Amino acid sequence: MSIFTPTNQIRLTNVAVVRMKRAGKRFEIACYKNKVVGWRSGVEKDLDEVLQTHSVFVNVSKGQVAKKEALISAFGTDDQTEICKQILTKGEVQVSDKERHTQLEQMFRDIATIVADKCVNPETKRPYTVILIERAMKDIHYSVKPNKSTKQQALEVIKQLKEKMKIERAHMRLRFILPVNEGKKLKEKLKPLIKVIESEDYGQQLDIVCLIDPGCFREIDELVKKETKGKGSLEVLNLKDVEEGDEKLE
């Protein structure tokens, strides 16, 4: 049983631990909470704002610092700052069960908020409340995936909810102004991507107002640019076609 003296034992508090396994051994660094994500996304560039200490540990919670020989064997260097950067970039952030639960709860709420914001009841065109979407997500036993973005998961949730309730993404209202010659041919190509044509006017140019699924916007935009060689224009009139009024479906 080894006895740790103050020289190779460091006590830290309010710490986020990032761990990496290398050469069969475990190495850890001690970071300030909420700073790891900032470093990885490039928002935080000052290493001293992220690391509590430039020491590499075998166990942060016990304050056990890694030996020089172990570092050279695993990383090929004993430059602790460089090793800290490697672990910070590629290591796994350790979170407590309580923190993980809080994060998942927040993500669940965020996903429900995105779904409520993007969707309506297709019959009434009225939006759903976040509370109702949360309840529906619980009914289908939706399990949050911490490594996937909330936006990606919201799109998955919409697909799954469609099987259980009347819900669809709110349509986007667009206006096309197209040269008449190209416009007639282009309209045929656009038809499968358009949900409803609300108006069309043939004058010197073809003027169409229509509703589309937001997921088709990029494809439509590229098609208009390509087929009209930049002469056609596309204008977003409404991001969401929703019935006016404060009432929401509970």
Side-chain angles (χ1 to χ4, degrees), residues 79-101:
D79 183 335
Q80 301 224 10
T81 299
E82 282 308 308
I83 295 168
C84 281
K85 282 183 185 174
Q86 280 191 51
I87 297 172
L88 186 55
T89 305
K90 298 175 184 172
E92 189 180 322
V93 183
Q94 307 301 301
V95 291
S96 68
D97 288 343
K98 187 181 175 185
E99 283 175 313
R100 187 177 288 107
H101 182 68

Side-chain angles (χ1 to χ4, degrees), residues 1-238:
M1 181 177 152
S2 55
I3 297 168
F4 295 106
T5 62
T7 55
N8 70 345
Q9 191 175 24
I10 301 170
R11 292 285 180 200
L12 297 161
T13 57
N14 189 30
V15 67
V17 176
V18 183
R19 180 182 296 162
M20 180 188 269
K21 283 194 176 172
R22 197 80 173 258
K25 290 189 171 66
R26 185 176 82 177
F27 298 95
E28 298 179 345
I29 56 172
C31 304
Y32 291 103
K33 285 192 175 181
N34 306 322
K35 289 288 186 176
V36 179
V37 173
W39 174 268
R40 288 179 172 179
S41 65
V43 173
E44 181 58 71
K45 293 180 169 61
D46 185 352
L47 198 60
D48 291 327
E49 288 292 318
V50 183
L51 295 176
Q52 293 217 12
T53 169
H54 286 243
S55 299
V56 180
F57 298 80
V58 289
N59 190 315
V60 168
S61 61
K62 291 182 181 176
Q64 295 172 302
V65 183
K67 290 188 167 65
K68 182 178 175 179
E69 303 79 52
L71 294 175
I72 293 170
S73 167
F75 295 94
T77 178
D78 63 347
D79 183 335
Q80 301 224 10
T81 299
E82 282 308 308
I83 295 168
C84 281
K85 282 183 185 174
Q86 280 191 51
I87 297 172
L88 186 55
T89 305
K90 298 175 184 172
E92 189 180 322
V93 183
Q94 307 301 301
V95 291
S96 68
D97 288 343
K98 187 181 175 185
E99 283 175 313
R100 187 177 288 107
H101 182 68
T102 303
Q103 281 175 6
L104 291 176
E105 273 190 339
Q106 184 58 52
M107 283 186 84
F108 190 89
R109 251 192 312 274
D110 290 346
I111 293 164
T113 303
I114 294 169
V115 173
D117 184 55
K118 286 185 180 296
C119 294
V120 292
N121 179 316
E123 291 181 357
T124 64
K125 291 283 186 277
R126 292 196 179 278
Y128 287 105
T129 62
V130 175
I131 292 167
L132 187 138
I133 297 296
E134 282 185 354
R135 203 183 304 144
M137 283 168 67
K138 284 172 185 166
D139 288 345
I140 62 168
H141 306 293
Y142 186 77
S143 179
V144 174
K145 301 165 188 72
N147 299 323
K148 258 189 164 184
S149 77
T150 49
K151 191 173 178 182
Q152 277 180 310
Q153 293 188 72
L155 295 175
E156 282 176 21
V157 167
I158 293 167
K159 277 183 198 166
Q160 291 182 34
L161 289 181
K162 276 182 178 177
E163 296 171 17
K164 300 287 180 186
M165 61 192 282
K166 290 170 183 171
I167 188 170
E168 68 174 27
R169 287 188 68 177
H171 293 145
M172 186 186 274
R173 182 175 280 110
L174 298 182
R175 184 184 189 193
F176 302 105
I177 297 176
L178 311 169
V180 174
N181 293 340
E182 293 95 333
K184 287 176 183 174
K185 290 181 210 162
L186 182 53
K187 185 187 161 189
E188 293 309 307
K189 291 185 179 180
L190 289 170
K191 263 186 181 173
L193 303 171
I194 293 173
K195 290 282 184 186
V196 179
I197 292 179
E198 293 188 323
S199 70
E200 53 186 310
D201 179 27
Y202 287 88
Q204 291 182 326
Q205 293 177 309
L206 175 56
D207 189 332
I208 300 174
V209 175
C210 63
L211 299 176
I212 67 155
D213 186 310
C216 298
F217 178 77
R218 187 175 293 172
E219 191 180 344
I220 289 171
D221 188 34
E222 287 170 0
L223 198 56
V224 169
K225 283 177 185 166
K226 183 183 165 191
E227 295 292 325
T228 66
K229 297 182 172 59
K231 292 177 192 167
S233 70
L234 178 58
E235 183 187 350
V236 177
L237 299 178
N238 270 70

